[in-house]
Amino acid sequence: MIKHLGLKAYGKINLALDVLRKREDGYHEVRMIMQTVGIYDRIDLDVTQEPGIQVETNLFYLPNNENNLVHKAAKLLMDEFHVTKGISIRLRKFIPVAAGMAGGSSDAAAVLFGVNKMFGLGLSMEDLMKRGVKIGADVPYCIMRGTALSEGIGEKLTPLPPVPQCQVLIVKPGINVSTKFVYESLDAAHLKAEDHPDIDGMIAAIQKKDLYGMAARFGNVLETVTVKTYPVISEIKEKMIEAGAVNSCMSGSGPTVFGLFTNPKAAQNAYEKFRFDEWKGLAKQVYITNFYNNQEVLHGK
Ligand code: ATP
């Protein structure tokens, strides 16, 4: 048995997000191109002699009880496999919270991976993904990572070749957007053709390693809801283009916006404007990162 494990839980962006329809059970059927980025939370797992799950986080407003997704993930496996020892989970968040970057889902994915490994449960990645969807629709993808097409409610995953590397500027405005509100406000039956991103075109561009063709097809159908309610989202998108981004888009249900840059200097200038200078009022959190496709070290220390 492994007594301690240090894990990195990576965030994602949606290069494209489409909603096909609302199902009878209330879930939305989606089609999304997912991409892991190099911003991660750190998770330390320690086996304890006394049974139970203890959670500690660096953010006072996150739950440290059974409502934290890391707790749910550990409990799911430990109950199923009747693990008699306990576990302590120390979570340090760096992925913006409630931002459309699947931070909580990625933490849950890392804990599923870690608990399986520490207690030698012998589950395959596929087994973990099947269990992960019970915690959240994005959890299976967060176990798989890289570049992928996500369909169904997020559980049908098709890996895609890695996209060409470039700078990814990530800006989260100082507003909180409820995922539930965004999906409930989406009028999926009355969207215009141009509201839907060209997912098949994007897949073809990714297969050709055509960064510009891919970026030209960025699109997120949920912007039809969020941009109306929060104009700051389109302001950030416009500033990114003004700063030289190849293109920009909102991730998930927002409010995070990302922009791709092929010129590192332009990306750095834009970062500084959002972080310290004239566009500071639009941004609460700002990061420069890259796409993250290295499967080998994704879960390493
Ligand atoms: P998605 O992109 O999947 O919509 P998100 O970025 O919108 O995810 P998260 O950061 O994953 O949202 O978390 C949303 C809510 O879940 C938070 O308001 C928080 O209270 C709760 N939560 C539970 N566990 C966690 C966790 N480990 N990290 C972040 N949030 C968590």
Side-chain angles (χ1 to χ4, degrees):
M1 187 178 58
I2 301 166
K3 289 203 176 119
H4 171 85
L5 213 52
L7 302 165
K8 290 177 179 175
Y10 286 86
K12 63 86 182 152
I13 54 173
N14 296 94
L15 300 175
L17 190 159
D18 200 8
V19 175
L20 306 185
R21 67 179 184 106
K22 191 173 178 180
R23 308 194 319 189
E24 282 71 50
D25 61 8
Y27 280 101
H28 286 85
E29 205 174 302
V30 293
R31 245 184 135 215
M32 315 187 278
I33 308 280
M34 320 287 282
Q35 174 61 53
T36 310
V37 291
I39 301 173
Y40 54 83
D41 294 338
R42 280 192 172 274
I43 297 177
D44 285 288
L45 301 179
D46 284 279
V47 172
T48 58
Q49 287 312 312
E50 61 285 4
I53 300 163
Q54 298 160 45
V55 177
E56 186 198 317
T57 87
N58 61 332
L59 297 181
F60 71 90
Y61 53 86
L62 282 186
N64 58 5
N65 53 23
E66 63 283 355
N67 292 323
N68 197 303
L69 296 180
V70 296
H71 191 291
K72 288 190 206 284
K75 186 167 164 48
L76 187 112
L77 290 188
M78 290 167 79
D79 282 357
E80 181 182 343
F81 289 88
H82 309 291
V83 174
T84 51
K85 291 197 187 309
I87 194 162
S88 115
I89 306 173
R90 182 161 168 250
L91 170 63
R92 279 167 291 163
K93 295 287 302 179
F94 301 99
I95 303 171
V97 175
M101 293 189 66
S105 304
S106 190
D107 296 342
V111 169
L112 289 174
F113 175 92
V115 167
N116 180 44
K117 193 162 177 174
M118 288 174 97
F119 295 110
L121 307 181
L123 295 171
S124 66
M125 284 293 162
E126 238 168 61
D127 295 335
L128 291 178
M129 284 157 73
K130 268 190 211 135
R131 286 160 176 83
V133 75
K134 294 182 193 158
I135 301 171
D138 281 344
V139 176
Y141 165 72
C142 292
I143 293 170
M144 187 173 104
R145 292 154 306 191
T147 312
L149 169 69
S150 164
E151 296 174 290
I153 63 158
E155 83 292 5
K156 281 187 215 151
L157 294 165
T158 312
L160 295 170
V163 298
Q165 198 52 271
C166 58
Q167 275 72 42
V168 185
L169 180 67
I170 290 187
V171 173
K172 182 186 176 265
I175 49 170
N176 291 316
V177 175
S178 144
T179 302
K180 200 164 168 264
F181 161 78
V182 175
Y183 274 97
E184 279 176 2
S185 309
L186 182 75
D187 190 1
H190 297 100
L191 291 166
K192 293 191 264 353
E194 63 265 29
D195 294 330
H196 294 283
D198 173 13
I199 303 249
D200 293 323
M202 182 178 280
I203 293 172
I206 291 172
Q207 278 160 345
K208 278 191 269 174
K209 308 226 169 290
D210 171 10
L211 183 75
Y212 291 89
M214 177 191 87
R217 291 174 176 84
F218 282 173
N220 184 336
V221 84
L222 300 178
E223 285 185 4
T224 58
V225 177
T226 54
V227 163
K228 256 187 249 148
T229 323
Y230 309 102
V232 66
I233 292 172
S234 52
E235 245 185 290
I236 295 172
K237 285 176 60 179
E238 283 158 23
K239 297 292 182 215
M240 285 194 184
I241 302 291
E242 190 184 319
V246 180
N247 204 357
S248 61
C249 191
M250 183 182 82
S251 183
S253 54
T256 299
V257 173
F258 63 89
L260 292 198
F261 290 79
T262 47
N263 176 346
K265 249 199 185 142
Q268 185 62 31
N269 284 341
Y271 170 84
E272 282 169 19
K273 283 187 179 169
F274 280 114
R275 183 103 160 73
F276 307 110
D277 297 333
E278 54 198 279
W279 301 334
K280 204 174 152 202
L282 302 175
K284 177 100 186 286
Q285 283 165 285
V286 190
Y287 301 87
I288 289 192
T289 184
N290 294 109
F291 296 138
Y292 203 78
N293 289 311
N294 189 343
Q295 296 291 335
E296 302 276 306
V297 294
L298 279 171
H299 277 303
K301 269 202 137 195

